[in-house]
Amino acid sequence: MKSPAATGLSSQAPSLSLSISAARQVWAVILLALAIIVLGGNWPVMKTGLQYVSPLWFSALRFATGCACLFALQLLTGKCRLPTKRDFPLIASVGLVQMMMFTALGSVAMQSVDAGRSAVLGYTTPLWVMPVAVFVLGERLTRRQTIGTLVGLAGVLVMLNPMAIDWQDSNVVAGNMLLLFCSLCWAMTILHVRHYKGDSSAYELAPWQMLTATLPLFFMARHIEGPFDMTVSANFWSVMAYVGPLATAFCFVIINSASRWMSSSAMSNAMLGVPVSGLLLSVIFLGETLSVSLAAGGAIILCGIAIVSVRASRTKTKKA
C-alpha cells in the first residue's frame, strides 16, 4: 500500500511535467517571434550590405557563413549526416532554386527597389503555389484557396499600379518583376518538397543545400563581378554576421523546430510577420516612405496569403 507521501509525489509528477512542457512552449513561441523579427530585419540589413559589395558576392558570402555555422552546429551535436541518393533532388531544388536563385536575383532587384517593398513582394510565394499546383500538377483549388489567391493578386496589382512605381525607369520595373519571379521560384521548390520525400530531415539537408548554393554563387561572382574586394569596411562584416549566422542559420533552426509542434496553417500565418516587420523596420531604420499604395497593397496581399494558408474550420472539425 502506498504511503501518503508517495501518493502526494505521484500526483505532483503530472502537474510538474505539464508546467515544464508549458514553459518550453513559451520559450519556443518567444524564439519563433524573435526569428520572425530577425528575418524581417534581414531585408533592410541586406539593403545596407549591398552598398558595400555586389549582389552575387553578397549572396555567396551569406550562404557560405550560414553553411559553416550549420555544419559546425551539427558536428557538435552529432547530427551531421551524409545525404543519400534520394536526397539529391531536394538538395538541388532547394539549394539551386530557392536559395541561390531567390537570394541572388533578389539582391540584384534590391539595388533598385526599396527594402520594404522587396519584403512584401518576395513573400508572395503562397499566392503562386496555388496556380502552379493547378496548371502543372493538376490539383484542384478549394473555394477558400481561389478567393485567397485572387485577393492576393489584387494586392500585387495595387502595388504595381502606374502611380506606385516609375514605369519609365527600366531598372525599377525589372526589379519588381524579378522579386515576383523569385517568389515563383520559391513556390516551385515548395511544391517539389511537398510531393517528393527524401531520406533525411530538412535540418540534416540544410547545410548541404546551402553548400550547393554557395559553390556556384562564388563561381558566378568571380567571373561576372570580378575578384572580391578584401578591403571592404568592418560595417559590411557586421552586416554579414547578421544575414549569415543569424538570419540564415539561426532562423532556419528555430523555424524548423517550430514547424514540428505548430500546425502548417498556424506556421503560415506566423510567417506573415516577416514581410510586415520587414516593411516597418525599413521605414524606421532606412527612412523609406510608406506610401498609400504600398501599405494598401501589402495589407491586401497579406490578407490573401492568410486566406490561402488557413484551413477551413469545417476541415478541422471533421479531423477532430
Side-chain angles (χ1 to χ4, degrees):
M1 191 170 179
K2 291 184 179 180
S3 66
T7 304
L9 287 174
S10 62
S11 63
Q12 290 177 5
S15 62
L16 181 61
S17 62
L18 287 175
S19 63
I20 293 175
S21 177
R24 287 178 177 175
Q25 188 165 351
V26 169
W27 273 110
V29 171
I30 292 174
L31 287 175
L32 177 60
L34 178 60
I36 289 171
I37 294 173
V38 169
L39 283 174
N42 192 47
W43 292 91
V45 172
M46 285 175 60
K47 184 75 173 181
T48 302
L50 289 169
Q51 297 175 2
Y52 299 99
V53 297
S54 52
L56 292 180
W57 273 117
F58 183 86
S59 303
L61 291 170
R62 173 187 179 178
F63 284 114
T65 53
C67 171
C69 289
L70 275 184
F71 269 129
L73 178 62
Q74 290 188 359
L75 287 171
L76 288 173
T77 57
K79 299 292 185 180
C80 190
R81 300 285 188 274
L82 287 174
T84 66
K85 288 184 178 181
R86 281 183 55 83
D87 294 328
F88 288 163
L90 292 177
I91 292 175
S93 64
V94 175
L96 298 177
V97 180
Q98 179 182 337
M99 292 182 176
M100 186 190 76
M101 290 184 64
F102 183 93
T103 303
L105 295 179
S107 297
V108 172
M110 287 184 69
Q111 291 186 310
S112 55
V113 181
D114 288 343
R117 172 180 283 269
S118 299
V120 175
L121 291 179
Y123 269 79
T124 55
T125 300
L127 302 179
W128 314 125
V129 169
M130 300 305 164
V132 173
V134 171
F135 294 109
V136 178
L137 300 177
E139 295 183 8
R140 292 185 178 181
L141 292 183
T142 64
R143 180 179 298 179
R144 171 184 289 270
Q145 291 170 333
T146 302
I147 294 173
T149 301
L150 293 176
V151 169
L153 292 177
V156 173
L157 292 177
V158 170
M159 289 186 64
L160 298 179
N161 76 82
M163 301 296 293
I165 64 175
D166 183 6
W167 287 90
Q168 302 299 319
D169 190 331
S170 59
N171 291 329
V172 173
V173 174
N176 281 267
M177 296 301 107
L178 270 180
L179 287 165
L180 292 176
F181 179 72
C182 287
S183 65
L184 176 61
C185 290
W186 194 348
M188 296 292 287
T189 306
I190 289 174
L191 288 171
H192 182 219
V193 172
R194 179 189 297 176
H195 291 275
Y196 182 87
K197 302 300 180 184
D199 294 325
S200 305
S201 67
Y203 175 64
E204 291 169 339
L205 291 179
W208 298 102
Q209 291 162 341
M210 291 182 188
L211 180 63
T212 302
T214 299
L215 297 178
L217 280 171
F218 268 112
F219 177 81
M220 290 188 295
R222 177 65 178 81
H223 288 272
I224 296 175
E225 298 174 344
F228 179 68
D229 184 7
M230 297 301 297
T231 62
V232 68
S233 70
N235 290 334
F236 169 73
W237 292 113
S238 63
V239 167
M240 193 51 57
Y242 184 101
V243 301
L246 194 59
T248 302
F250 167 77
C251 288
F252 181 89
V253 172
I254 296 302
I255 291 173
N256 184 60
S257 299
S259 63
R260 295 178 181 177
W261 58 271
M262 290 181 66
S263 67
S264 58
S265 59
M267 195 68 194
S268 298
N269 285 324
M271 293 306 292
L272 292 179
V274 176
V276 173
S277 59
L279 179 58
L280 295 178
L281 291 172
S282 299
V283 171
I284 295 171
F285 292 103
L286 298 182
E288 295 182 356
T289 302
L290 184 60
S291 63
V292 175
S293 60
L294 178 58
I300 295 172
I301 288 172
L302 294 179
C303 287
I305 295 174
I307 294 171
V308 166
S309 302
V310 178
R311 295 177 181 177
S313 57
R314 292 180 181 178
T315 304
K316 288 184 176 180
T317 303
K318 288 180 181 180
K319 288 184 177 181

